[in-house]
């Protein structure tokens, strides 16, 4: 096997101060900020200092016991995210605790911003919620439309650290926050624990141009660290590609941090692509070692097929069959989780070693 090397050669992205300041000040064009120019000057100067010195994580402490390098100065932001995940895992593993379900609204539509109307995915998610609650589950709802409608909600893009080396992709993600680039307020640090705590996940989503909506796809990409990610950033001393490559080539176990949770899917469209997206979501989840709730636990279909968009909500009102399919998905998922927790539904892949883990 060839020795690992690190390929470079992309165009430089460092901004001169003039351009940096222009972009930074563009956030404050509202006339309300005009009396605050002296304060803004000081803030811009501080932001430039952080940017020019690449202070990604301004607050760190020694990692301490339990890490490969206890002396490594690690981000306190990452440590807080890790602790939230560990606490969620403890809740998940508590046999005496009420089992949890996570329902995800994968649509970006919201009545609280453009277009000024709720999504059909939200309605279908709310149809499923009382079914699962009535089966005795604690239900969390993750509404991804908040990315478009709520101030400060962001899911930053995945930087594809995996493609350099799997150990460079940390669990949870350590790429964010990056304070020097203004890449803060990353919602994923709240989303990871929701997935970890859940015994079952139900995703309800529309088709956008044959694919997952932007908000859903952003979350999917950032969950790559749950599938083989490195839980110890000190083993690569942060983002050192050479150390990560060497660690992977020694043999990497690809830990499946969300394995053995069950999932259900409801995918709807208006003319094309629903089955394709449902299959893609199912493949993604099973690749992460989650377990399908079965044929009844995955539904795809069309609401108001080839009809005007303006009447699509009325079409859902009338489509009792698709509503009932959604209810059945929730029932199948709830049954799968109950049977698994009772030891009556075993994973046929349990204990099998993957010949090509990745």
């Amino acid at each position: 096997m060839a020795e690992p090397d690190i390929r470079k050669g992309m165009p430089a992205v460092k901004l001169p101060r003039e351009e940096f300041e222009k972009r930074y000040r563009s956030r404050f064009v509202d006339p309300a900020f005009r009396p605050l120019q002296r304060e803004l000057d000081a803030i811009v100067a501080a932001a430039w200092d952080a940017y020019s010195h690449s202070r990604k994580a301004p607050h760190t402490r020694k990692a301490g016991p339990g890490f490969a390098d206890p002396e490594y100065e690690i981000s306190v932001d990452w440590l807080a995210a890790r602790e939230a995940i560990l606490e969620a895992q403890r809740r998940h593993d508590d046999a005496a605790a009420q089992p949890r379900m996570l329902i995800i609204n994968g649509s970006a539509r919201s009545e609280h911003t453009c277009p000024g109307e709720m999504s059909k995915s939200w309605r279908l998610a709310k149809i499923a919620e009382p079914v699962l609650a009535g089966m005795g589950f604690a239900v969390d709802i993750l509404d991804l439309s908040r990315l478009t409608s709520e101030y400060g909600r962001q899911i930053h893009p995945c930087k594809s650290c995996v493609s350099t080396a799997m150990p460079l992709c940390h669990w949870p993600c350590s790429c964010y926050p990056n304070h020097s680039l203004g890449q803060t307020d990353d919602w994923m640090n709240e989303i990871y624990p929701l997935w970890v705590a859940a015994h079952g996940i139900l995703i309800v989503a529309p088709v956008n141009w044959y694919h997952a909506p932007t908000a859903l796809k952003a979350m999917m990409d950032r969950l790559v660290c749950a599938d083989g990610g490195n839980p110890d950033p000190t083993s690569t001393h942060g983002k050192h590609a050479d150390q990560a490559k060497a660690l992977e080539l020694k043999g990497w176990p690809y830990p499946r941090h969300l394995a053995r949770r069950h999932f259900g899917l409801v995918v709807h469209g208006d003319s094309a692509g629903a089955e394709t997206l449902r299959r893609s979501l199912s493949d993604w989840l099973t690749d992460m070692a989650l377990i399908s709730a079965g044929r009844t636990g995955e539904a795809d279909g069309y609401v108001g097929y080839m009809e005007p968009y303006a009447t699509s909500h009325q079409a859902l009102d009338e489509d009792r069959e698709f509503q009932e399919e959604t209810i059945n998905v929730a029932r199948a998922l709830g049954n799968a989780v109950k049977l698994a927790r009772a030891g009556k539904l075993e994973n046929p892949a349990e204990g099998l070693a993957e010949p090509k883990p990745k």
Side-chain angles (χ1 to χ4, degrees):
M1 182 178 293
E3 288 293 318
D5 61 354
I6 299 171
R7 304 300 175 94
K8 306 274 190 177
M10 296 177 72
V13 295
K14 199 73 173 179
L15 301 179
R17 174 156 186 169
E18 181 180 357
E19 180 62 22
F20 173 86
E21 187 166 334
K22 175 184 174 183
R23 296 187 189 185
Y24 197 90
R25 288 185 182 275
S26 68
R27 306 176 186 182
F28 305 100
V29 295
D30 191 298
F33 291 105
R34 285 176 185 165
L36 304 172
Q37 290 308 304
R38 181 180 298 176
E39 290 84 353
L40 276 176
D41 289 343
I43 291 171
V44 169
W48 168 254
D49 185 71
Y51 173 77
S52 60
H53 291 95
S54 300
R55 284 199 298 277
K56 174 185 175 182
H59 299 290
T60 63
R61 71 164 175 81
K62 292 187 186 301
F67 289 92
D69 183 356
E71 296 298 309
Y72 178 73
E73 289 288 333
I74 196 167
S75 165
V76 297
D77 292 318
W78 185 86
L79 287 170
R82 173 180 179 264
E83 182 52 41
I85 283 177
L86 292 175
E87 174 56 31
Q89 187 67 53
R90 286 190 285 268
R91 294 199 305 272
H92 175 275
D93 295 343
D94 185 354
Q98 185 181 16
R100 306 196 72 84
M101 288 288 184
L102 174 61
I103 300 177
I104 299 173
N105 170 29
S107 174
R109 289 179 68 200
S110 172
E111 68 192 70
H112 301 297
T113 182
C114 315
E117 183 178 47
M118 73 166 67
S119 69
K120 293 182 289 296
S121 294
W122 173 257
R123 290 182 58 190
L124 292 167
K126 294 299 286 184
I127 287 173
E129 181 185 14
V131 176
L132 292 169
M135 296 178 75
F137 296 101
V139 180
D140 295 310
I141 293 185
L142 173 57
D143 178 11
L144 293 177
S145 76
R146 290 180 176 272
L147 285 171
T148 63
S149 61
E150 184 177 312
Y151 180 84
R153 285 294 183 202
Q154 301 178 72
I155 294 178
H156 294 293
C158 177
K159 296 181 181 179
S160 302
C161 297
V162 169
S163 292
T164 291
M166 190 75 240
L168 201 61
C169 181
H170 300 144
W171 169 250
C173 177
S174 67
C175 293
Y176 305 103
N178 186 325
H179 292 273
S180 69
L181 295 179
Q183 296 169 339
T184 59
D185 303 310
D186 184 50
W187 198 9
M188 288 306 299
N189 283 344
E190 296 177 41
I191 290 174
Y192 291 134
L194 290 174
W195 278 77
V196 172
H199 298 87
I201 294 98
L202 172 58
I203 298 177
V204 185
V207 181
N208 285 10
W209 283 117
Y210 292 86
H211 294 283
T214 303
L216 176 58
K217 187 58 168 64
M219 180 192 68
M220 291 169 63
D221 286 351
R222 292 289 303 287
L223 278 164
V224 66
C225 56
D227 188 49
N230 181 2
D232 186 354
T234 74
S235 64
T236 56
H237 294 94
K239 292 290 183 175
H240 286 275
D242 55 342
Q243 295 181 30
K245 285 175 181 280
L247 194 57
E248 184 179 46
L249 292 176
K250 289 179 181 177
W252 186 251
Y254 297 95
R256 301 293 180 80
H257 300 289
L258 296 174
R260 295 179 296 281
R261 289 158 178 82
H262 289 75
F263 71 86
L265 297 169
V266 177
V267 177
H268 62 95
D270 52 63
S271 61
E275 183 180 15
T276 301
L277 178 57
R278 192 263 305 162
R279 286 178 172 175
S280 294
L281 292 174
S282 184
D283 286 348
W284 163 61
L285 290 160
T286 53
D287 275 357
M288 292 201 299
L290 280 79
I291 304 166
S292 173
R295 185 185 68 82
T296 309
E298 298 185 28
D300 60 75
Y302 297 94
V303 177
Y305 180 73
M306 298 297 289
E307 296 177 3
Y309 295 108
T311 56
S312 64
H313 273 288
Q314 290 95 318
L316 179 56
D317 291 340
E318 297 166 4
D319 197 337
R320 301 296 181 184
E321 291 84 2
F322 197 69
Q323 293 182 40
E324 190 61 36
E325 281 189 81
T326 300
I327 290 170
N328 280 341
V329 169
R331 289 171 177 153
L333 178 59
N335 288 336
V337 170
K338 284 191 170 186
L339 288 169
R341 284 174 61 82
K344 298 178 180 179
L345 182 62
E346 295 185 4
N347 178 10
E350 194 70 35
L352 300 180
E354 293 187 55
K356 295 181 179 179
K358 188 174 183 181

